[in-house]
Amino acid sequence: MPLNSAGMNRSIFSGMGPTRTDGIEFDKLYAYYDRGKKRVADYLREYQYVSNYKYYKHLSSRVDHRFRLMDIYDYTMQDLHLTSIINTLFHHILGERYFIANADRSRDDAATKLIRTRWFTKLVKEILFSKLYAYSMIELGGVNPNTGTLEKIESIERRNVAPGDHLILEYPEDNAGWDVTTDRFRTDYVLIDGDEQFGWLLKAAPMVMSKRFAISAHTQTAETYGVPLVHGKTVMDETEDKQRLANEIASSRDQRIIITGIDDEIDIKDQISNDTNKIYTELVRVCNDELTKLILSQTATTEQQTYVGAAQIQYQIYKNHVEAMREFVVHVVNEQFMWRFREKGMAIRGDQEFVYSNNNELSPGEVKEILDVLTKSYEIDPEEIEKQTGIKVGRQILKESNGGLLETGGAGDDQVNFLRNQSTIAASLNKSTTGIFDTIIASVGLDTAKHPLLTSVSKIYEPARGHTHLADRVKLINAIAPKKHEEYYEILAPLLPQILEGEEIVTDADLVLKSAEQFLEAVRSGYGVDLGTIDLGHPENKYFRGVWDHVWAFAAVKQFQLLHSIHQSKDSFKGRLDLFQAESRKLNSIYNKLFFTAESNHIEHSMRVSAIWRGIDDPNTILQYQTVGDDRVRANHQQLDGIRRRKNDSFWGYFLPPWEYGCRCTVFDTGTTDGRTINKDRKLPDISEVPEVFRGNVGETGVIFGEHHPYFNVPSKFVDDIRKSVTEGQQLFTR
């Protein structure tokens, strides 16, 4: 903004009527910036003025004079610690974590591209700055016809804004200005209220001032008392002789030479240390802690030494704080900017919203754990590692899987085998088209000839007929990591000696309970309903009763098949309980971690789509099938993208997502029953492409895995035992 000291001499009664109607130009806005040192008295004076504006109402027709605080805020923002923690917070809110979503919450890449710009990053920063300063004023530029997005945005100097009056002012002291709520300006100018009366910087200012004074006093103390005292002693009593010696001593500091009398003495007196500097350094530390609490809501992420438990708690507080700030950004963009973007000509539909990704940021420990898994099995782009950790990575060093690296570090046998298995998995996948499930099963040393059910289940869950995306590979490989499924094995372990000795244990209620609890959590996460808290006997909850029964039945037959596989292997380990336990542990890892990962993902997404389906009452409503739209979409799923059919169309009896394992497709309500919108000429995949296990409409039946699932292949003589385990498991669940 132009600086014009003459503005300080203008009368506060100046102005051209209550509202200016001429155009706003940046070179018409003048403000004076006082960069001088600020004291507590300055802070109190300005704070008193703006907070007691009614008392000064006789001086102005305006009610908002927060511009008077801006010099204090500018001074406050010069603090290095404050700017550092502000940047830390902003870093976790900016970046590529946001996008434009359609009505069904799916990402619209074309619309998102319009905001992947520098001006939008600047916009988000200004929204965040409204928390610090209490308000921001934005001017939106025009739309570039070549790119379809805004050319730029500009932030209006806060000294030239009276937010309480919705005015942009030519001079900060003016009574009249441009009212941004009028039709002429409302599309181009946006006032952002930070929901903070005077902003966070009002609270930060006293801390920064205290620091400045402490550092200044510390420096003065060091200059006064930090230099050793030179003591001169002479036998001469004359003042002139004493002064001569003093001058000689003073000049010797520069010249490094001094000539004294025969009986003169010179020595250095060290100051007696009483740690007076701690008074100042402790004050600075306290101020920094208070500033960190103000901006980040905790201090653990900035402290050099923190107890692990406390750090974890405070890190969660910080994550919640970031989430709240993101929610604030989302509300401001959706409520104040999206309609303006459309009015200015950007191709953003009225049913679309600005959203943040649901992916939570990882803690440093979580990042390390993931990188440990990835770097042992895959080539990772160095730029991605630098992006996630800030560490520049050079050329990747490859090590043989049978090298000493896997044998060192004090890892137990499970961990060593797991690391070796990862290398085996990666090598197998690179050399063949073997599916990820079959490869993992083979890598842990299980013989599928002895356990044919494993192959049958793998065939159902194998996504894209043998092709698995990198992200899915990592997730599934990590599924069998040691200690990830111990809660099942703790239940299973006491049963193994009995089984090895010949006792027939068909199923176990505790295993069924544990499995059902995890599946019910997937239902809750997908549909948003906790089946354990609703009246399943009520007629209105008939659908949920069906889901409940199906989940418990599926959990029971799953654990039956695990125990059945363990029984099948016992003859190979007669008298060797240790080997039998090792084999059982492997089977447990496949059933209750690898297969569970696939099953819970499918249950959660099935319930998510069911919630959409059951939220539509009119059977004539037209629904649209929609893929995620990335390079992972299978060809036959892409063939369905954009298909529109009425809710009562038989099409949805086969193709309501997910209709294969790993299917991420969804449906959404088009909001119409007009048959002209149905695209009847679209060619559909053959119904035979839908696996029998997934055929049906889960939104109507509540059946997630059909009767053709291998788990349900149970000899009739065991059915009663399985039913009994379900009853006992449900009784334990309700206790």
Side-chain angles (χ1 to χ4, degrees):
M1 301 297 174
L3 305 185
N4 190 335
S5 59
M8 297 301 293
N9 298 322
R10 289 167 57 94
S11 167
I12 60 172
F13 296 104
S14 65
M16 296 180 290
T19 302
R20 297 182 62 160
T21 58
D22 54 322
I24 305 175
E25 298 178 14
F26 272 78
D27 59 4
K28 290 184 177 181
L29 306 182
Y30 296 85
Y32 178 78
Y33 303 83
D34 182 359
R35 303 301 193 195
K37 185 176 182 179
K38 302 297 182 294
R39 301 179 180 275
V40 175
D42 302 320
Y43 166 84
L44 293 174
R45 181 181 64 252
E46 302 301 353
Y47 179 31
Q48 181 185 30
Y49 188 99
V50 298
S51 60
N52 295 330
Y53 64 85
K54 291 183 180 180
Y55 177 79
Y56 302 99
K57 192 72 163 58
H58 66 283
L59 299 177
S60 170
S61 60
R62 280 169 45 196
V63 297
D64 198 318
H65 293 80
R66 278 179 277 181
F67 76 91
R68 295 175 62 111
L69 293 171
M70 293 306 120
D71 288 336
I72 302 290
Y73 290 175
D74 284 351
Y75 177 81
T76 303
M77 284 293 284
Q78 299 305 308
D79 184 78
L80 295 179
H81 179 78
L82 178 63
T83 54
S84 173
I85 57 179
I86 289 173
N87 289 336
T88 297
L89 178 62
F90 283 19
H91 168 75
H92 286 92
I93 299 172
L94 297 168
E96 298 184 356
R97 301 179 180 94
Y98 48 71
F99 57 91
I100 300 295
N102 298 311
D104 63 345
R105 308 298 288 178
S106 64
R107 177 190 179 115
D108 188 311
D109 289 331
T112 300
K113 186 177 179 180
L114 299 177
I115 63 170
R116 289 278 182 240
T117 59
R118 287 192 299 173
W119 68 258
F120 192 80
T121 300
K122 181 179 179 180
L123 173 62
V124 175
K125 284 185 177 180
E126 287 298 327
I127 293 173
L128 297 174
F129 275 129
S130 71
K131 286 288 187 182
L132 296 169
Y133 291 90
Y135 62 93
S136 295
M137 179 73 79
I138 301 296
E139 180 187 50
L140 302 179
V143 172
N144 186 319
N146 296 322
T147 62
T149 189
L150 297 186
E151 294 180 315
K152 64 177 181 178
I153 69 165
E154 296 287 353
S155 57
I156 306 297
E157 166 58 45
R158 290 179 180 81
R159 291 170 176 81
N160 293 92
V161 178
D165 304 283
H166 304 285
L167 295 176
I168 296 177
L169 308 164
E170 182 176 357
Y171 289 87
E173 304 87 355
D174 286 345
N175 284 339
W178 295 274
D179 187 346
V180 296
T181 63
T182 61
D183 291 340
R184 177 171 183 179
F185 301 118
R186 63 192 299 268
T187 301
D188 293 331
Y189 294 89
V190 188
L191 175 63
I192 304 169
D193 184 352
D195 293 333
E196 304 284 342
Q197 184 180 12
F198 297 113
W200 291 349
L201 291 179
L202 184 75
K203 301 174 183 178
M207 295 296 104
V208 172
M209 291 177 181
S210 298
K211 280 180 60 179
R212 292 283 184 91
F213 295 143
I215 293 172
S216 177
H218 189 190
T219 302
Q220 185 176 0
T221 300
E223 291 177 349
T224 304
Y225 301 105
V227 179
L229 179 65
V230 181
H231 174 242
K233 183 178 181 181
T234 179
V235 295
M236 298 296 200
D237 289 332
E238 298 297 330
T239 303
E240 292 82 0
D241 294 324
K242 294 178 181 179
Q243 186 62 50
R244 175 192 56 78
L245 181 59
N247 293 338
E248 290 287 345
I249 293 174
S251 63
S252 69
R253 292 184 177 180
D254 298 326
Q255 301 175 6
R256 316 299 296 173
I257 296 174
I258 184 172
I259 299 175
T260 66
I262 296 176
D263 296 320
D264 292 340
E265 296 179 8
I266 298 175
D267 65 312
I268 297 175
K269 301 292 187 182
D270 290 329
Q271 298 290 320
I272 298 175
S273 175
N274 57 6
D275 289 336
T276 55
N277 64 304
K278 289 186 177 180
I279 298 174
Y280 308 111
T281 56
E282 181 64 16
L283 177 59
V284 170
R285 187 195 66 77
V286 170
C287 290
N288 283 343
D289 283 350
E290 293 301 306
L291 290 171
T292 303
K293 291 174 185 176
L294 172 65
I295 304 300
L296 303 184
S297 292
Q298 48 76 54
T299 60
T301 54
T302 59
E303 290 179 356
Q304 294 181 350
Q305 183 175 3
T306 306
Y307 292 109
V308 174
Q312 291 175 341
I313 294 172
Q314 293 200 54
Y315 182 76
Q316 184 60 47
I317 293 173
Y318 174 60
K319 289 174 68 174
N320 294 339
H321 182 55
V322 169
E323 185 62 30
M325 292 293 288
R326 286 184 178 178
E327 185 176 355
F328 173 70
V329 172
V330 167
H331 287 322
V332 170
V333 173
N334 285 325
E335 294 171 8
Q336 295 190 254
F337 286 93
M338 291 291 279
W339 67 268
R340 288 180 166 93
F341 293 161
R342 290 191 290 271
E343 286 200 4
K344 294 185 76 64
M346 289 176 60
I348 296 177
R349 299 195 310 272
D351 63 337
Q352 292 180 322
E353 290 186 340
F354 170 81
V355 299
Y356 267 93
S357 168
N358 288 329
N359 294 333
N360 293 326
E361 273 62 40
L362 302 176
S363 68
E366 292 168 330
V367 171
K368 178 182 180 300
E369 181 179 351
I370 290 175
L371 289 179
D372 281 346
V373 173
L374 290 174
T375 54
K376 289 183 177 72
S377 299
Y378 303 101
E379 293 183 4
I380 306 299
D381 187 347
E383 292 184 1
E384 185 62 25
I385 296 179
E386 181 180 352
K387 177 181 176 182
Q388 296 297 331
T389 66
I391 301 173
K392 287 186 176 294
V393 180
R395 186 178 62 182
Q396 187 175 14
I397 300 174
L398 301 177
K399 293 186 180 296
E400 296 295 332
S401 62
N402 61 353
L405 178 64
L406 297 182
E407 308 295 336
T408 61
D413 290 340
D414 281 349
Q415 185 65 30
V416 171
N417 290 333
F418 175 58
L419 296 177
R420 184 179 292 113
N421 289 337
Q422 286 183 300
S423 299
T424 303
I425 293 166
S428 298
L429 288 172
N430 288 333
K431 293 179 181 179
S432 70
T433 58
T434 304
I436 181 71
F437 286 88
D438 289 336
T439 305
I440 293 176
I441 291 171
S443 71
V444 299
L446 286 172
D447 185 355
T448 53
K450 295 181 180 179
H451 307 289
L453 183 71
L454 301 182
T455 301
S456 300
V457 177
S458 295
K459 184 178 180 180
I460 294 172
Y461 294 161
E462 189 62 49
R465 297 171 180 79
H467 169 71
T468 313
H469 191 271
L470 173 62
D472 296 323
R473 292 182 185 185
V474 173
K475 190 170 187 178
L476 293 170
I477 290 174
N478 194 41
I480 61 167
K483 299 182 180 179
K484 292 289 186 179
H485 45 272
E486 288 301 309
E487 53 193 2
Y488 283 96
Y489 189 75
E490 288 175 1
I491 300 172
L492 190 62
L495 307 178
L496 298 179
Q498 303 172 51
I499 295 175
L500 188 61
E501 291 174 3
E503 184 176 344
E504 186 176 49
I505 300 177
V506 175
T507 187
D508 181 84
D510 290 324
L511 283 175
V512 174
L513 171 63
K514 176 61 66 177
S515 185
E517 285 178 333
Q518 292 191 328
F519 287 147
L520 289 172
E521 175 58 27
V523 172
R524 185 205 62 76
S525 179
Y527 203 106
V529 173
D530 185 348
L531 299 187
T533 63
I534 64 176
D535 181 5
L536 296 174
H538 195 283
E540 291 184 357
N541 294 327
K542 181 180 179 181
Y543 172 77
F544 295 124
R545 178 69 201 201
V547 175
W548 168 272
D549 290 340
H550 175 69
V551 165
W552 278 95
F554 187 75
V557 294
K558 174 186 175 72
Q559 300 308 318
F560 162 80
Q561 296 294 357
L562 168 61
L563 286 167
H564 189 61
S565 294
I566 291 174
H567 275 285
Q568 288 178 320
S569 65
K570 69 181 180 183
D571 291 340
S572 301
F573 302 101
K574 289 184 177 180
R576 292 301 305 272
L577 178 60
D578 56 339
L579 297 179
F580 181 55
Q581 289 172 328
E583 181 82 356
S584 300
R585 186 184 290 273
K586 294 174 185 177
L587 287 166
N588 178 55
S589 71
I590 298 302
Y591 276 98
N592 286 325
K593 201 58 189 176
L594 179 63
F595 288 168
F596 167 77
T597 300
E599 291 152 3
S600 63
N601 288 345
H602 189 78
I603 291 173
E604 182 175 349
H605 190 49
S606 296
M607 289 294 99
R608 188 179 297 116
V609 176
S610 293
I612 298 172
W613 176 269
R614 298 187 64 79
I616 302 170
D617 295 326
D618 189 346
N620 290 311
T621 297
I622 296 173
L623 280 67
Q624 180 167 319
Y625 187 106
Q626 184 161 323
T627 67
V628 174
D630 59 18
D631 59 354
R632 297 167 58 185
V633 177
R634 289 162 249 187
N636 53 351
H637 292 241
Q638 185 62 44
Q639 190 178 349
L640 293 171
D641 190 38
I643 288 289
R644 293 189 295 273
R645 295 291 185 272
R646 297 190 189 278
K647 185 181 179 185
N648 57 12
D649 195 300
S650 61
F651 165 83
W652 301 112
Y654 291 91
F655 292 110
L656 182 72
W659 53 273
E660 276 188 299
Y661 168 72
C663 172
R664 299 168 296 147
C665 305
T666 187
V667 297
F668 69 89
D669 182 356
T670 63
T672 182
T673 59
D674 185 355
R676 291 176 298 179
T677 67
I678 297 178
N679 41 15
K680 298 180 180 179
D681 57 338
R682 291 284 298 272
K683 179 177 175 56
L684 304 178
D686 192 274
I687 292 174
S688 63
E689 295 187 40
V690 182
E692 287 184 312
V693 171
F694 301 121
R695 290 181 188 177
N697 185 317
V698 66
E700 293 292 337
T701 65
V703 175
I704 302 167
F705 301 97
E707 61 183 8
H708 294 282
H709 194 290
Y711 287 168
F712 289 111
N713 185 17
V714 177
S716 58
K717 64 179 181 178
F718 297 128
V719 170
D720 288 341
D721 291 316
I722 294 174
R723 287 175 177 168
K724 181 180 178 182
S725 70
V726 170
T727 301
E728 292 176 354
Q730 290 177 345
Q731 291 173 346
L732 294 172
F733 181 85
T734 56
R735 285 181 183 176

